[in-house]
Amino acid sequence: DAMVIQNPRYQVTQFGKPVTLSCSQTLNHNVMYWYQQKSSQAPKLLFHYYDKDFNNEADTPDNFQSRRPNTSFCFLDIRSPGLGDAAMYLCATSRDFGGNEKLFFGSGTQLSVL
Amino acid sequence: DQQVKQNSPSLSVQEGRISILNCDYTNSMFDYFLWYKKYPAEGPTFLISISSIKDKNEDGRFTVFLNKSAKHLSLHIVPSQPGDSAVYFCAASSSGGSNYKLTFGKGTLLTVNP
């Protein structure tokens, strides 16, 4: 009955080797988000899609890209992962984009960079 | 610059007692506040929310109180149960301006001891 599904749960990559994390949703929500959460830190928004409109946070490094080929799927691409990119990556969705929208999160992908 | 602060990284309470988790915010534009609960290896799940037009919202064992003048909110869990042991994130957003995205605190780890 999962609604926001992230694959894989754990991902190990090498320094500098591109990696892609995936997210799918069965909620048919308009908005999909990618958050980065490092240990003992607050989840940090990287970017979001409203339908096909992409919105990048001002402080998101260029190393991070995203694709949303259709309503259900969204991908996070890290072009050249550094050691500092090791973190939990959380995908979330919301029906719409506004101040009182609830976010529905996936279980996250824990990324390790060796 | 942390706009949402959870100053207690952890809290430990006895089963059956009250748990009080605190959250402070600095941005006066925030007008919607949410609490999320996160178990290990899972994504955050929505728990309860409150709009700034209210000062209290209750849902079963969970009550959120908002003190706008102090820019402070708290989550009360009574009675606490071992299954409530999790990380609790406070989040805030604004229905207008550029603060519509959710801003999270760092979380508080609640441990409820049997």
Side-chain angles (χ1 to χ4, degrees):
Chain A
D1 200 31
M3 295 180 290
V4 182
I5 304 163
Q6 290 189 244
N7 285 304
R9 292 293 298 271
Y10 301 93
Q11 176 74 55
V12 180
T13 191
Q14 291 180 337
F15 183 93
K17 185 174 181 182
V19 65
T20 295
L21 310 182
S22 71
C23 177
S24 63
Q25 56 136 338
T26 59
L27 297 163
N28 204 34
H29 281 174
N30 288 316
V31 193
M32 295 187 78
Y33 309 80
W34 279 103
Y35 281 84
Q36 179 194 63
Q37 186 188 12
K38 296 187 178 180
S39 181
S40 301
Q41 297 295 313
K44 178 180 176 296
L45 182 63
L46 296 173
F47 24 60
H48 75 271
Y49 273 96
Y50 188 101
D51 195 14
K52 289 190 178 298
D53 292 334
F54 177 72
N55 294 272
N56 202 31
E57 292 300 299
D59 56 355
T60 298
D62 293 339
N63 200 23
F64 291 85
Q65 305 286 321
S66 185
R67 296 170 283 135
R68 189 179 184 185
N70 53 52
T71 300
S72 301
F73 286 87
C74 195
F75 300 97
L76 170 62
D77 301 308
I78 309 177
R79 291 191 297 187
S80 181
L83 298 178
D85 297 327
M88 171 71 79
Y89 290 87
L90 294 164
C91 174
T93 72
S94 64
R95 182 180 49 85
D96 210 329
F97 196 68
N100 60 352
E101 287 291 329
K102 299 179 189 63
L103 268 60
F104 294 80
F105 284 87
S107 297
T109 294
Q110 183 68 50
L111 178 68
S112 300
V113 181
L114 304 180
Chain B
D1 179 30
Q2 255 191 291
Q3 297 187 67
V4 178
K5 298 177 184 177
Q6 294 178 256
N7 291 319
S8 297
S10 63
L11 174 68
S12 183
V13 300
Q14 285 299 119
E15 181 178 6
R17 299 288 188 103
I18 185 170
S19 296
I20 300 176
L21 295 98
N22 293 304
C23 178
D24 297 291
Y25 61 97
T26 58
N27 191 332
S28 58
M29 296 295 292
F30 287 148
D31 56 9
Y32 189 67
F33 305 90
L34 307 89
W35 286 93
Y36 280 81
K37 179 165 99 172
K38 184 182 184 302
Y39 292 118
E42 294 184 16
T45 55
F46 170 75
L47 186 59
I48 192 169
S49 62
I50 188 166
S51 164
S52 61
I53 62 173
K54 295 184 173 182
D55 54 18
K56 176 183 173 181
N57 189 27
E58 191 172 352
D59 184 2
R61 297 185 296 114
F62 302 90
T63 303
V64 56
F65 295 92
L66 175 62
N67 182 333
K68 288 191 293 290
S69 61
K71 293 191 179 68
H72 176 84
L73 62 155
S74 60
L75 174 68
H76 292 213
I77 307 172
V78 56
S80 301
Q81 299 173 355
D84 296 328
S85 299
V87 176
Y88 289 79
F89 290 99
C90 173
S93 65
S94 170
S95 56
S98 61
N99 294 309
Y100 42 77
K101 65 183 182 186
L102 271 186
T103 300
F104 285 87
K106 290 184 177 182
T108 296
L109 174 62
L110 173 66
T111 302
V112 180
N113 300 303

PDB file of all heavy atoms in Angstrom, chain A residues 9-13 19 21 64 78 81-82 85-89 109-113:
ATOM      1  N   ARG A   9      16.889   1.481  -1.340  1.00  0.00           N
ATOM      2  CA  ARG A   9      16.904   1.963   0.044  1.00  0.00           C
ATOM      3  C   ARG A   9      18.305   2.389   0.447  1.00  0.00           C
ATOM      4  O   ARG A   9      18.486   3.331   1.208  1.00  0.00           O
ATOM      5  CB  ARG A   9      16.410   0.865   0.996  1.00  0.00           C
ATOM      6  CG  ARG A   9      14.953   0.523   0.834  1.00  0.00           C
ATOM      7  CD  ARG A   9      14.046   1.678   1.249  1.00  0.00           C
ATOM      8  NE  ARG A   9      14.210   2.024   2.660  1.00  0.00           N
ATOM      9  CZ  ARG A   9      13.523   1.471   3.643  1.00  0.00           C
ATOM     10  NH1 ARG A   9      12.656   0.523   3.405  1.00  0.00           N
ATOM     11  NH2 ARG A   9      13.729   1.872   4.882  1.00  0.00           N
ATOM     12  N   TYR A  10      19.306   1.663  -0.066  1.00  0.00           N
ATOM     13  CA  TYR A  10      20.702   1.970   0.231  1.00  0.00           C
ATOM     14  C   TYR A  10      21.462   1.982  -1.099  1.00  0.00           C
ATOM     15  O   TYR A  10      21.280   1.115  -1.942  1.00  0.00           O
ATOM     16  CB  TYR A  10      21.326   0.926   1.164  1.00  0.00           C
ATOM     17  CG  TYR A  10      20.610   0.809   2.480  1.00  0.00           C
ATOM     18  CD1 TYR A  10      19.599  -0.134   2.662  1.00  0.00           C
ATOM     19  CD2 TYR A  10      20.919   1.654   3.548  1.00  0.00           C
ATOM     20  CE1 TYR A  10      18.923  -0.224   3.869  1.00  0.00           C
ATOM     21  CE2 TYR A  10      20.254   1.562   4.757  1.00  0.00           C
ATOM     22  CZ  TYR A  10      19.252   0.621   4.909  1.00  0.00           C
ATOM     23  OH  TYR A  10      18.590   0.540   6.095  1.00  0.00           O
ATOM     24  N   GLN A  11      22.293   2.989  -1.263  1.00  0.00           N
ATOM     25  CA  GLN A  11      23.085   3.119  -2.485  1.00  0.00           C
ATOM     26  C   GLN A  11      24.510   3.474  -2.101  1.00  0.00           C
ATOM     27  O   GLN A  11      24.728   4.420  -1.333  1.00  0.00           O
ATOM     28  CB  GLN A  11      22.488   4.208  -3.381  1.00  0.00           C
ATOM     29  CG  GLN A  11      23.272   4.500  -4.634  1.00  0.00           C
ATOM     30  CD  GLN A  11      23.118   3.407  -5.669  1.00  0.00           C
ATOM     31  OE1 GLN A  11      22.030   3.042  -6.076  1.00  0.00           O
ATOM     32  NE2 GLN A  11      24.249   2.854  -6.087  1.00  0.00           N
ATOM     33  N   VAL A  12      25.440   2.701  -2.628  1.00  0.00           N
ATOM     34  CA  VAL A  12      26.849   2.998  -2.416  1.00  0.00           C
ATOM     35  C   VAL A  12      27.440   3.370  -3.767  1.00  0.00           C
ATOM     36  O   VAL A  12      27.236   2.668  -4.756  1.00  0.00           O
ATOM     37  CB  VAL A  12      27.603   1.784  -1.828  1.00  0.00           C
ATOM     38  CG1 VAL A  12      29.078   2.131  -1.629  1.00  0.00           C
ATOM     39  CG2 VAL A  12      26.973   1.356  -0.510  1.00  0.00           C
ATOM     40  N   THR A  13      28.149   4.475  -3.809  1.00  0.00           N
ATOM     41  CA  THR A  13      28.800   4.882  -5.040  1.00  0.00           C
ATOM     42  C   THR A  13      30.225   5.312  -4.737  1.00  0.00           C
ATOM     43  O   THR A  13      30.589   5.527  -3.579  1.00  0.00           O
ATOM     44  CB  THR A  13      28.032   6.018  -5.729  1.00  0.00           C
ATOM     45  OG1 THR A  13      28.551   6.210  -7.050  1.00  0.00           O
ATOM     46  CG2 THR A  13      28.154   7.331  -4.963  1.00  0.00           C
ATOM     47  N   VAL A  19      25.463   8.927 -10.030  1.00  0.00           N
ATOM     48  CA  VAL A  19      24.486   8.038  -9.416  1.00  0.00           C
ATOM     49  C   VAL A  19      23.099   8.634  -9.600  1.00  0.00           C
ATOM     50  O   VAL A  19      22.930   9.863  -9.636  1.00  0.00           O
ATOM     51  CB  VAL A  19      24.815   7.827  -7.918  1.00  0.00           C
ATOM     52  CG1 VAL A  19      24.670   9.114  -7.119  1.00  0.00           C
ATOM     53  CG2 VAL A  19      23.959   6.727  -7.314  1.00  0.00           C
ATOM     54  N   LEU A  21      19.055   8.312  -8.186  1.00  0.00           N
ATOM     55  CA  LEU A  21      18.086   7.807  -7.228  1.00  0.00           C
ATOM     56  C   LEU A  21      16.699   8.000  -7.824  1.00  0.00           C
ATOM     57  O   LEU A  21      16.447   8.992  -8.506  1.00  0.00           O
ATOM     58  CB  LEU A  21      18.194   8.566  -5.899  1.00  0.00           C
ATOM     59  CG  LEU A  21      19.599   8.689  -5.310  1.00  0.00           C
ATOM     60  CD1 LEU A  21      19.545   9.434  -3.973  1.00  0.00           C
ATOM     61  CD2 LEU A  21      20.259   7.346  -5.160  1.00  0.00           C
ATOM     62  N   PHE A  64      23.755  18.567  -8.569  1.00  0.00           N
ATOM     63  CA  PHE A  64      22.488  17.883  -8.388  1.00  0.00           C
ATOM     64  C   PHE A  64      21.528  18.292  -9.500  1.00  0.00           C
ATOM     65  O   PHE A  64      21.307  19.478  -9.737  1.00  0.00           O
ATOM     66  CB  PHE A  64      21.862  18.230  -7.031  1.00  0.00           C
ATOM     67  CG  PHE A  64      22.598  17.667  -5.859  1.00  0.00           C
ATOM     68  CD1 PHE A  64      23.680  18.341  -5.329  1.00  0.00           C
ATOM     69  CD2 PHE A  64      22.205  16.470  -5.277  1.00  0.00           C
ATOM     70  CE1 PHE A  64      24.368  17.823  -4.242  1.00  0.00           C
ATOM     71  CE2 PHE A  64      22.878  15.948  -4.186  1.00  0.00           C
ATOM     72  CZ  PHE A  64      23.964  16.626  -3.670  1.00  0.00           C
ATOM     73  N   ILE A  78      23.047  12.739  -9.323  1.00  0.00           N
ATOM     74  CA  ILE A  78      24.217  13.407  -8.762  1.00  0.00           C
ATOM     75  C   ILE A  78      25.369  13.135  -9.715  1.00  0.00           C
ATOM     76  O   ILE A  78      25.794  11.983  -9.871  1.00  0.00           O
ATOM     77  CB  ILE A  78      24.528  12.916  -7.331  1.00  0.00           C
ATOM     78  CG1 ILE A  78      23.262  12.986  -6.468  1.00  0.00           C
ATOM     79  CG2 ILE A  78      25.644  13.768  -6.727  1.00  0.00           C
ATOM     80  CD1 ILE A  78      23.464  12.448  -5.051  1.00  0.00           C
ATOM     81  N   PRO A  81      29.475  12.700  -7.386  1.00  0.00           N
ATOM     82  CA  PRO A  81      29.291  12.711  -5.932  1.00  0.00           C
ATOM     83  C   PRO A  81      30.603  12.931  -5.187  1.00  0.00           C
ATOM     84  O   PRO A  81      31.629  12.317  -5.518  1.00  0.00           O
ATOM     85  CB  PRO A  81      28.717  11.330  -5.622  1.00  0.00           C
ATOM     86  CG  PRO A  81      28.227  10.802  -6.920  1.00  0.00           C
ATOM     87  CD  PRO A  81      29.060  11.425  -7.983  1.00  0.00           C
ATOM     88  N   GLY A  82      30.545  13.809  -4.215  1.00  0.00           N
ATOM     89  CA  GLY A  82      31.661  13.997  -3.311  1.00  0.00           C
ATOM     90  C   GLY A  82      31.346  13.389  -1.965  1.00  0.00           C
ATOM     91  O   GLY A  82      30.211  12.968  -1.702  1.00  0.00           O
ATOM     92  N   ASP A  85      28.378  14.563  -0.057  1.00  0.00           N
ATOM     93  CA  ASP A  85      27.027  14.283  -0.556  1.00  0.00           C
ATOM     94  C   ASP A  85      26.425  13.038   0.084  1.00  0.00           C
ATOM     95  O   ASP A  85      25.264  12.695  -0.202  1.00  0.00           O
ATOM     96  CB  ASP A  85      27.046  14.119  -2.077  1.00  0.00           C
ATOM     97  CG  ASP A  85      27.473  15.389  -2.792  1.00  0.00           C
ATOM     98  OD1 ASP A  85      27.154  16.493  -2.272  1.00  0.00           O
ATOM     99  OD2 ASP A  85      28.125  15.301  -3.853  1.00  0.00           O
ATOM    100  N   ALA A  86      27.201  12.363   0.911  1.00  0.00           N
ATOM    101  CA  ALA A  86      26.662  11.218   1.635  1.00  0.00           C
ATOM    102  C   ALA A  86      25.572  11.705   2.581  1.00  0.00           C
ATOM    103  O   ALA A  86      25.803  12.590   3.414  1.00  0.00           O
ATOM    104  CB  ALA A  86      27.765  10.518   2.414  1.00  0.00           C
ATOM    105  N   ALA A  87      24.386  11.153   2.407  1.00  0.00           N
ATOM    106  CA  ALA A  87      23.232  11.640   3.176  1.00  0.00           C
ATOM    107  C   ALA A  87      22.042  10.738   2.897  1.00  0.00           C
ATOM    108  O   ALA A  87      22.092   9.847   2.053  1.00  0.00           O
ATOM    109  CB  ALA A  87      22.879  13.082   2.776  1.00  0.00           C
ATOM    110  N   MET A  88      20.952  11.001   3.602  1.00  0.00           N
ATOM    111  CA  MET A  88      19.655  10.397   3.290  1.00  0.00           C
ATOM    112  C   MET A  88      18.970  11.336   2.304  1.00  0.00           C
ATOM    113  O   MET A  88      18.909  12.548   2.538  1.00  0.00           O
ATOM    114  CB  MET A  88      18.820  10.254   4.559  1.00  0.00           C
ATOM    115  CG  MET A  88      17.376   9.835   4.308  1.00  0.00           C
ATOM    116  SD  MET A  88      17.236   8.136   3.781  1.00  0.00           S
ATOM    117  CE  MET A  88      17.395   7.293   5.353  1.00  0.00           C
ATOM    118  N   TYR A  89      18.453  10.773   1.219  1.00  0.00           N
ATOM    119  CA  TYR A  89      17.723  11.569   0.237  1.00  0.00           C
ATOM    120  C   TYR A  89      16.257  11.160   0.289  1.00  0.00           C
ATOM    121  O   TYR A  89      15.909   9.998   0.097  1.00  0.00           O
ATOM    122  CB  TYR A  89      18.317  11.403  -1.157  1.00  0.00           C
ATOM    123  CG  TYR A  89      19.661  12.071  -1.247  1.00  0.00           C
ATOM    124  CD1 TYR A  89      20.820  11.394  -0.891  1.00  0.00           C
ATOM    125  CD2 TYR A  89      19.764  13.410  -1.610  1.00  0.00           C
ATOM    126  CE1 TYR A  89      22.055  12.028  -0.914  1.00  0.00           C
ATOM    127  CE2 TYR A  89      20.988  14.048  -1.640  1.00  0.00           C
ATOM    128  CZ  TYR A  89      22.133  13.354  -1.285  1.00  0.00           C
ATOM    129  OH  TYR A  89      23.352  14.003  -1.288  1.00  0.00           O
ATOM    130  N   THR A 109      16.448   7.137   0.477  1.00  0.00           N
ATOM    131  CA  THR A 109      17.615   6.380   0.007  1.00  0.00           C
ATOM    132  C   THR A 109      18.828   6.890   0.766  1.00  0.00           C
ATOM    133  O   THR A 109      19.122   8.089   0.742  1.00  0.00           O
ATOM    134  CB  THR A 109      17.835   6.554  -1.505  1.00  0.00           C
ATOM    135  OG1 THR A 109      16.745   5.974  -2.208  1.00  0.00           O
ATOM    136  CG2 THR A 109      19.135   5.887  -1.933  1.00  0.00           C
ATOM    137  N   GLN A 110      19.496   5.990   1.455  1.00  0.00           N
ATOM    138  CA  GLN A 110      20.730   6.345   2.178  1.00  0.00           C
ATOM    139  C   GLN A 110      21.900   6.191   1.225  1.00  0.00           C
ATOM    140  O   GLN A 110      22.200   5.083   0.788  1.00  0.00           O
ATOM    141  CB  GLN A 110      20.907   5.444   3.395  1.00  0.00           C
ATOM    142  CG  GLN A 110      22.115   5.796   4.240  1.00  0.00           C
ATOM    143  CD  GLN A 110      21.968   7.141   4.943  1.00  0.00           C
ATOM    144  OE1 GLN A 110      20.977   7.408   5.588  1.00  0.00           O
ATOM    145  NE2 GLN A 110      22.985   7.988   4.812  1.00  0.00           N
ATOM    146  N   LEU A 111      22.529   7.295   0.900  1.00  0.00           N
ATOM    147  CA  LEU A 111      23.632   7.288  -0.050  1.00  0.00           C
ATOM    148  C   LEU A 111      24.969   7.331   0.684  1.00  0.00           C
ATOM    149  O   LEU A 111      25.187   8.199   1.541  1.00  0.00           O
ATOM    150  CB  LEU A 111      23.548   8.485  -0.997  1.00  0.00           C
ATOM    151  CG  LEU A 111      24.687   8.621  -2.009  1.00  0.00           C
ATOM    152  CD1 LEU A 111      24.627   7.497  -3.040  1.00  0.00           C
ATOM    153  CD2 LEU A 111      24.655   9.978  -2.701  1.00  0.00           C
ATOM    154  N   SER A 112      25.826   6.400   0.342  1.00  0.00           N
ATOM    155  CA  SER A 112      27.200   6.391   0.845  1.00  0.00           C
ATOM    156  C   SER A 112      28.148   6.640  -0.318  1.00  0.00           C
ATOM    157  O   SER A 112      27.933   6.120  -1.418  1.00  0.00           O
ATOM    158  CB  SER A 112      27.537   5.044   1.486  1.00  0.00           C
ATOM    159  OG  SER A 112      26.672   4.779   2.576  1.00  0.00           O
ATOM    160  N   VAL A 113      29.166   7.449  -0.080  1.00  0.00           N
ATOM    161  CA  VAL A 113      30.160   7.768  -1.110  1.00  0.00           C
ATOM    162  C   VAL A 113      31.521   7.308  -0.609  1.00  0.00           C
ATOM    163  O   VAL A 113      31.993   7.759   0.446  1.00  0.00           O
ATOM    164  CB  VAL A 113      30.172   9.282  -1.423  1.00  0.00           C
ATOM    165  CG1 VAL A 113      31.190   9.581  -2.523  1.00  0.00           C
ATOM    166  CG2 VAL A 113      28.793   9.754  -1.840  1.00  0.00           C
TER     167      VAL A 113
END
